[in-house]
């Protein structure tokens, strides 16, 4: 059989997955292995340009809108999410927040909504929806996708990333299906955690799941998010941010945490909050690599608490 680039990538990926657990430096406590991108290129490959030239910011249409008359939805309020995050994580590089009221259709909070961040495990929502769409009625597939999202399982995501025509193809299908505007494939197609996403696109992902996806797909995805385990498959506590700040409201979440090995650390908390999933809440943050995840995770929890007053 002719060896295609994806065949070679699959071999490299299998090798990387097999050796992933042995690559971490021993630490006193459990350290996250989740969402560390699976490297398929040579170890001495030059750093992708996005690490040295982080994606620029664009103003969202919502945040650029001037004040409207009282009978028209008002523009989003301001929280200064960077300041909130830096109260805990002083070295934070960037943060974004969007809160959307699904009942009124109003974006009540929006900051840096179109800035690009590395997705980490947030990409699993797109990977999961794509797999379910390509295998309708497959109960085993539904169980696997549910497990991947509920436990944020990396090996399952890596399997789908390769088996469903390759990650670039998955993202291309989901961009078209969900109407995504800022989501882009990673520079190295083997590094699914380095997919580019924006807060506004994450809102679009959730809106698609809740209002446009077939009911069977919506049930699998939302059930997994609403039953996200306290600890992920790697043993790291994933109840930070939205699940962790003391809210009494219902929640369904997909979290993300990832390091690049080249200077970036991203920690995200996203999901649905309130009765009938009244709100979509997106919190994205970026930090310097070389630290443990605990402080950035606490900073995201602080940000979630600051967002709570907007969920009324």
């Amino acid at each position: 059989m002719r060896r295609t680039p994806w065949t070679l990538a699959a071999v490299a990926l299998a090798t990387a997955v097999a050796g992933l657990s042995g690559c971490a430096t021993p630490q006193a406590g459990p350290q996250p292995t989740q969402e560390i991108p699976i490297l398929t290129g040579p170890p001495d490959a030059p750093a992708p340009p996005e690490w040295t030239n982080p994606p620029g910011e664009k103003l969202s249409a919502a945040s650029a809108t001037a004040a409207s008359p009282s009978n028209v939805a008002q523009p989003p309020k301001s929280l200064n999410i960077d300041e909130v995050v830096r109260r805990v994580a002083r070295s934070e590089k960037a943060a974004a927040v969007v809160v959307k009221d699904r009942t009124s259709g109003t974006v009540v909070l929006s900051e840096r909504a179109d800035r690009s961040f590395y997705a980490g495990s947030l990409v699993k929502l797109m990977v999961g929806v794509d797999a379910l769409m390509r295998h309708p009625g497959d109960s085993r597939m539904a169980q696997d996708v549910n497990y991947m999202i509920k436990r944020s399982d990396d090996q399952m995501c890596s399997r789908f990333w390769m088996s469903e025509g390759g990650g670039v193809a998955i993202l291309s299908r989901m961009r078209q299906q969900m109407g995504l505007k800022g989501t882009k494939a990673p520079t190295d197609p083997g590094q699914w955690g380095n997919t580019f996403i924006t807060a506004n696109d994450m809102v679009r992902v959730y809106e698609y799941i809740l209002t446009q996806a077939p009911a069977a797909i919506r049930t699998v995805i939302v059930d997994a998010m609403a039953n996200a385990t306290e600890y992920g498959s790697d043993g790291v506590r994933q109840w930070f941010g939205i699940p962790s700040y003391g809210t009494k409201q219902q929640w369904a979440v997909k979290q993300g945490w990832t390091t690049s090995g080249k200077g970036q650390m991203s920690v995200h908390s996203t999901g649905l909050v309130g009765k009938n999933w009244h709100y979509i809440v997106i919190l994205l943050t970026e930090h310097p690599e070389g630290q443990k995840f605990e402080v950035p995770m606490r900073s995201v929890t602080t940000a979630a608490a600051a967002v709570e007053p907007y969920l009324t």
Side-chain angles (χ1 to χ4, degrees):
M1 179 178 72
R2 185 170 63 90
R3 294 172 68 86
T4 66
W6 277 113
T7 304
L8 296 173
V11 173
L13 177 62
T15 303
V17 170
L20 184 62
S21 61
C23 296
T25 303
Q27 300 288 339
Q31 293 299 302
T33 57
Q34 179 175 339
E35 300 162 310
I36 297 177
I38 296 174
L39 301 176
T40 59
D44 58 348
E50 65 269 16
W51 293 120
T52 53
N53 298 291
E57 298 180 35
K58 301 176 183 177
L59 287 175
S60 68
S63 61
T65 303
S68 306
S70 58
N71 63 338
V72 179
Q74 296 299 307
K77 300 175 183 178
S78 177
L79 176 66
N80 196 339
I81 191 66
D82 279 302
E83 180 180 322
V84 171
V85 171
R86 286 175 186 151
R87 291 173 191 167
V88 177
R90 296 181 182 275
S91 60
E92 173 260 11
K93 290 185 174 181
V97 59
V98 175
V99 174
K100 183 167 185 178
D101 183 327
R102 294 183 57 243
T103 302
S104 67
T106 303
V107 175
V108 298
L109 190 60
S110 178
E111 296 178 16
R112 288 190 172 187
D114 285 319
R115 186 199 191 275
S116 290
F117 290 81
Y118 293 94
S121 269
L122 300 186
V123 77
K124 290 171 183 170
L125 292 173
M126 290 169 262
V127 171
V129 169
D130 182 78
L132 293 170
M133 292 187 72
R134 288 164 61 82
H135 301 274
D138 186 329
S139 60
R140 177 57 185 271
M141 178 65 69
Q143 291 174 5
D144 287 349
V145 169
N146 185 280
Y147 182 89
M148 174 183 70
I149 292 173
K150 180 166 59 178
R151 297 188 61 84
S152 204
D153 189 86
D154 287 352
Q155 292 191 9
M156 193 74 72
C157 184
S158 296
R159 192 188 89 191
F160 290 143
W161 189 255
M162 301 305 299
S163 67
E164 297 304 312
V168 174
I170 292 172
L171 294 175
S172 178
R173 290 191 293 266
M174 290 298 96
R175 279 199 305 267
Q176 182 176 5
Q177 191 74 28
M178 298 176 171
L180 307 180
K181 299 179 180 180
T183 298
K184 299 178 182 177
T187 304
D188 183 334
Q191 297 182 325
W192 51 259
N194 286 359
T195 297
F196 295 98
I197 51 91
T198 68
N200 272 339
D201 265 5
M202 287 308 302
V203 171
R204 295 180 183 107
V205 169
Y206 284 121
E207 288 183 325
Y208 174 84
I209 291 169
L210 291 174
T211 65
Q212 298 180 53
I217 293 179
R218 178 166 58 253
T219 297
V220 171
I221 300 293
V222 176
D223 175 79
M225 291 171 52
N227 292 282
T229 56
E230 183 174 1
Y231 292 86
S233 290
D234 59 4
V236 175
R237 190 174 188 271
Q238 61 174 347
W239 281 5
F240 62 90
I242 294 169
S244 187
Y245 69 91
T247 182
K248 297 186 184 332
Q249 300 196 65
Q250 294 176 300
W251 53 259
V253 295
K254 185 69 204 80
Q255 312 284 67
W257 60 98
T258 183
T259 58
S260 68
K262 299 181 185 297
Q264 305 288 111
M265 172 185 286
S266 298
V267 179
H268 313 311
S269 183
T270 74
L272 312 171
V273 177
K275 186 176 180 180
N276 298 321
W277 310 128
H278 190 153
Y279 294 98
I280 297 172
V281 179
I282 311 297
L283 291 164
L284 310 179
T285 69
E286 184 179 287
H287 310 262
E289 198 177 2
Q291 59 183 306
K292 295 183 179 180
F293 279 93
E294 283 81 357
V295 170
M297 286 178 174
R298 286 205 310 271
S299 76
V300 176
T301 299
T302 298
V307 165
E308 172 75 6
Y310 295 84
L311 310 182
T312 58

